[in-house]
């Protein structure tokens, strides 16, 4: 399984940098988990192969360019863009984003081939198929309804925490997997901002370290994601100070393979 955290920041020359402002993980050039930077960071070839998008929650950094992605493809889509999300999150996307004011209600629009966007409701705890992947979602602990994911292509298995504070259900799901190749877990705020992490329901390196005590699998790659751009350097230092040899910050733009 190939996974890339799409870039979302650029330097003066227009080259992508390592700051992560938006969240979108591209899997095998076909599926994404969240869609923050989907319209700005995919190659043209990937734009033509990605039709399945799992939305973990409706926060802007996770859906910012989703409407633009569908808009870009509107005339050429030969099959709808499929949005996999819980009923709650679909309701929020319809109410707050694709509502005819912020953006058109694409779920009701068609081009010459048919519908351009389709919601696929998913239920936590029930495995579902997304393209070539088997996926199970579980509710995590964030300020809006949010899911973590266990994703398998039949060979490799990767867990995505999405945005979360302390959680048990996600670890129960992850521990239930026969094996785990990689864990992508959030580390949003430095330890000094613990209180903000608590109220916004995110992790710090210290609370991430506590969470990892709940993980039974050993030796897999642990990639810290969702590092707030303003604190990236501090976060990387604090993550290194945990002394966990298989834990690293995930580099946006780099393709990881398991
Ligand atoms: Zn969030
Ligand atoms: Zn977020």
């Amino acid at each position: 399984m190939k996974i890339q955290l799409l870039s979302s920041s650029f330097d003066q020359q227009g080259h992508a940098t390592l700051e992560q402002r938006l969240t979108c993980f591209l899997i095998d050039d076909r599926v994404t988990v969240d869609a923050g930077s989907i319209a700005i960071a995919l190659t043209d070839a990937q734009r033509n192969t990605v039709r399945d998008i799992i939305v973990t929650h409706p926060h802007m950094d996770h859906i910012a360019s989703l409407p633009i992605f569908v808009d870009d493809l509107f005339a050429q889509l030969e099959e709808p863009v499929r949005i996999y999300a819980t009923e709650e999150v679909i309701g929020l996307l319809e109410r707050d984003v694709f509502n005819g004011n912020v953006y058109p209600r694409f779920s009701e629009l068609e081009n010459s081939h048919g519908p351009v966007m389709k919601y696929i409701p998913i239920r936590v705890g029930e495995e579902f198929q997304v393209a070539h992947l088997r996926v199970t979602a579980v509710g995590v602990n964030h300020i809006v309804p949010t899911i973590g994911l266990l994703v398998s292509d039949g060979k490799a298995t990767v867990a995505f925490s999405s945005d979360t504070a302390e959680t048990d259900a996600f670890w129960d799901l992850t521990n239930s997997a026969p094996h785990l190749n990689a864990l992508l877990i959030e580390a949003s705020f430095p330890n000094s901002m613990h209180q903000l992490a608590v109220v916004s329901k995110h992790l710090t390196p210290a609370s991430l370290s506590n969470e990892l005590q709940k993980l039974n699998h050993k030796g897999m790659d642990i990639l810290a994601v969702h590092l707030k751009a303003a604190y990236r350097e501090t976060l990387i230092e604090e993550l290194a100070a945990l002394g966990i040899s298989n834990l690293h910050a995930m580099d946006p733009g780099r393709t990881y393979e398991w």
Side-chain angles (χ1 to χ4, degrees):
M1 195 187 309
K2 284 192 308 175
I3 301 182
Q4 186 183 35
L5 170 55
L6 296 183
S7 299
S8 56
S9 299
F10 305 91
D11 66 16
Q12 278 182 310
Q13 282 74 44
H15 300 129
T17 65
L18 293 177
E19 285 83 24
Q20 186 196 347
R21 294 191 164 83
L22 303 172
T23 293
C24 181
F25 298 100
L26 174 66
I27 305 177
D28 293 336
D29 292 332
R30 289 182 65 185
V31 174
T32 73
V33 173
D34 290 323
S37 45
I38 191 168
I40 59 175
L42 289 182
T43 64
D44 285 343
Q46 290 162 345
R47 204 183 305 280
N48 289 325
T49 54
V50 173
R51 293 293 177 267
D52 297 284
I53 298 165
I54 305 169
V55 175
T56 66
H57 69 298
H59 276 160
M60 187 61 92
D61 50 321
H62 298 254
I63 58 146
S65 70
L66 174 59
I68 314 298
F69 176 72
V70 181
D71 192 339
D72 279 345
L73 292 168
F74 192 96
Q76 73 188 74
L77 284 167
E78 295 180 3
E79 56 182 307
V81 172
R82 292 171 288 271
I83 311 287
Y84 301 77
T86 59
E87 291 277 14
E88 275 175 304
V89 169
I90 292 170
L92 293 169
L93 291 173
E94 282 290 279
R95 190 192 72 181
D96 298 336
V97 181
F98 298 105
N99 56 11
N101 292 313
V102 173
Y103 234 66
R105 201 174 284 287
F106 282 135
S107 59
E108 295 176 359
L109 299 181
E110 297 191 354
N111 65 13
S112 57
H113 299 283
V116 295
M117 191 178 94
K118 182 179 173 190
Y119 293 108
I120 316 266
I122 60 167
R123 294 157 81 101
V124 296
E126 290 181 12
E127 193 180 64
F128 55 99
Q129 186 90 23
V130 181
H132 60 302
L133 304 171
R134 302 295 299 173
V135 182
T136 308
V138 68
V140 292
N141 179 19
H142 196 36
I143 50 176
V144 294
T146 303
I147 50 171
L149 302 169
L150 191 66
V151 177
S152 175
D153 66 357
K155 293 181 188 146
T157 302
V158 177
F160 296 78
S161 73
S162 191
D163 291 8
T164 188
E166 291 74 8
T167 171
D168 289 322
F170 176 71
W171 300 113
D172 292 342
L173 174 68
T174 303
N175 288 333
S176 75
H179 69 281
L180 189 66
N181 296 82
L183 165 67
L184 277 58
I185 184 163
E186 76 127 282
S188 295
F189 291 109
N191 293 330
S192 62
M193 300 177 77
H194 171 75
Q195 204 48 45
L196 181 57
V198 168
V199 298
S200 60
K201 296 211 171 182
H202 285 293
L203 296 175
T204 64
S207 55
L208 179 155
S209 172
N210 290 337
E211 288 298 292
L212 290 177
Q213 304 297 319
K214 304 174 187 173
L215 178 63
N216 294 339
H217 297 285
K218 302 289 173 219
M220 83 297 304
D221 288 315
I222 303 173
L223 295 173
V225 299
H226 207 270
L227 281 62
K228 291 283 181 187
Y231 314 111
R232 182 175 174 85
E233 291 310 314
T234 305
L235 281 162
I236 287 173
E237 285 170 18
E238 292 181 357
L239 289 164
L242 296 175
I244 301 170
S245 62
N246 50 336
L247 168 64
H248 299 95
M250 189 172 196
D251 289 338
R254 175 174 159 191
T255 298
Y256 295 74
E257 192 161 1
W258 294 281

